[in-house]
Amino acid sequence: MKNKIQSVILVGFAIFFTACNSTSTKKLDQYALIPLPETVTNQQGALPITSLQTLSTPQENSYLAQEITAFLQTEANLRLAWKSQGDLRFSLDKSLKGSEYYEIKIQTTGIDVRSASDEGLYRAWQTLKQLILLADDATKLPTGLISDQPTYSYRGAMLDVARHFFSISEVKRFIDFLALYKFNYLHLHLSDDQGWRIEIKSWPQLTTIGGQSEVGGTTGGFYSQKDYQDLVAYASDRYITIIPEIDMPGHTNAALNAYPELNCDGKAPPVHTGIEVGFSSLCIEKPVTYQFVDDVIRELADITPGPYIHIGGDETHATPNDQFIAFIDSILPKVERYGKTPMGWFETRASNYTGKMVHQYWANEGNEPQNVKKGNPIVMSPSSFAYMDMQYDSLSKFGLHWAGYINVRKAYDWDPKSVVPSLPLDDIIGLETPLWSETISDNKEMDYLLFPRLIGYAEIAWTRSENRAWEAYKKRVTKHLDWLQTQGVIPYDSPLLKAN
Ligand code: TNX
């Protein structure tokens, strides 16, 4: 009997301790944050979430304040009132270095977030958001300090809305994910052989005719300039800059179909709904081509507040090389004339343009052209590591595999500065992960290619390479996938995340 009582007491203690442990707040450095911050320091104690009653931000009615208020109401049932010295305080501190550097101090009485810029405060808020979303016990937060900053100033993703059209709301949903993972550029591939997606008022048939088609023969679509500006503003609230791309002189069948005069023979080629590339070219010799390019760049620059316009320039197999160089040399100054910095795929690196431009590396390895201009910034999108449209493996439902398969580990285990050692590494400003859309046409199909890989690219772009390790990342990304599934995302189910 005595023994029985003893064991009941022992079991009771065991249950009590397990219960305590499971409700005790996990330490700050045990949270599955992605991208992993530069430093996380634990302190004793916890902050009860309900003690957050008031919020302060540099501007009372900013988008930041609205996002915080709405999020905390939905996720934690808190109704924060704005106050100049709130319990949750976001403040600008010009003594801090680096434009996106931020510090978060969680104390038992409140939270202090500081950065030299509004952008830094927004990135910090994404970290806090993740702490709340990933908490085991959502009633409190562990105390401690986080200080953080990005490795790269350019952390981009690209969406091809030309092969298949994606609606404004589909793109906004994509932007929401980019924001949560601290991306700061969204490159929109707005034109290709299969469709032209942005209204150009001086050349209306680009969209009334060129916007109607897409891969597979289904109906495409296009953004009015107003739609596009709405998207730009939505991204800009989240400190994401939109980079519009008009791909030239190749990848132009939709424009050539809409305006026969842009063809050397004056005849419109048929609509293209397949996925072959490299057969179309604007007519390099005709003056009307340059009028067309000028109008397109001018209208695009007018509705694009960001610094860059991407002029494409890839895979121009239908344009003789000397003509290609002549064309690129003559259009890059137009971008500059309309107040923007040109960006181009790596083929444009052979241009004689002497101004500043950004080159986007994409080839498998070393397609460094002769006559290279060093010193211009490079964005890394190596196709065999960074292309989200590559299949994970031979069984993948969507995607292509011309650059090989990219499983979740391969997508994570590379570094922009070591993947192509022959490049001038100091010129590399970051990475961009493109999502070409030959094989996908809506959010659901897109999610399969995006997740989990997008999350890994976010970490490569932000977190220092010495702080990144696959085994630890694997555990963290699993938590994110659990959360994403509660948001309706069906990610690709990677066997690599199950293996020990
Ligand atoms: C190559 S990469 C392309 C695109 C295709 C993509 C498909 C590059 C600059 N051009 O036109 O959509 O492959 O993976």
Side-chain angles (χ1 to χ4, degrees), residues 163 251 314-315 345 362 387 389-390 400 402 436 438:
R163 268 52 178 271
H251 292 273
D314 61 315
E315 301 175 319
W345 294 107
W362 66 274
Y387 270 32
D389 67 312
M390 289 301 117
L400 305 170
W402 65 265
W436 300 100
E438 284 93 337

Side-chain angles (χ1 to χ4, degrees), residues 55-66 68 82-86 88-94 112-122 124-125 239:
L55 166 72
S56 46
T57 48
Q59 283 154 23
E60 181 169 354
N61 293 315
S62 59
Y63 172 73
L64 174 69
Q66 288 166 27
I68 296 171
W82 198 91
K83 194 179 162 202
S84 61
Q85 281 300 315
L88 174 53
R89 290 175 296 279
F90 285 78
S91 41
L92 291 172
D93 180 345
K94 299 287 178 197
D112 249 309
V113 181
R114 292 183 309 133
S115 173
S117 70
D118 289 301
E119 191 178 353
L121 293 178
Y122 187 74
W125 163 238
Y239 297 90

Side-chain angles (χ1 to χ4, degrees), residues 150-163:
T151 301
Y152 291 106
S153 61
Y154 190 106
R155 306 179 303 278
M158 190 209 82
L159 181 63
D160 172 8
V161 295
R163 268 52 178 271

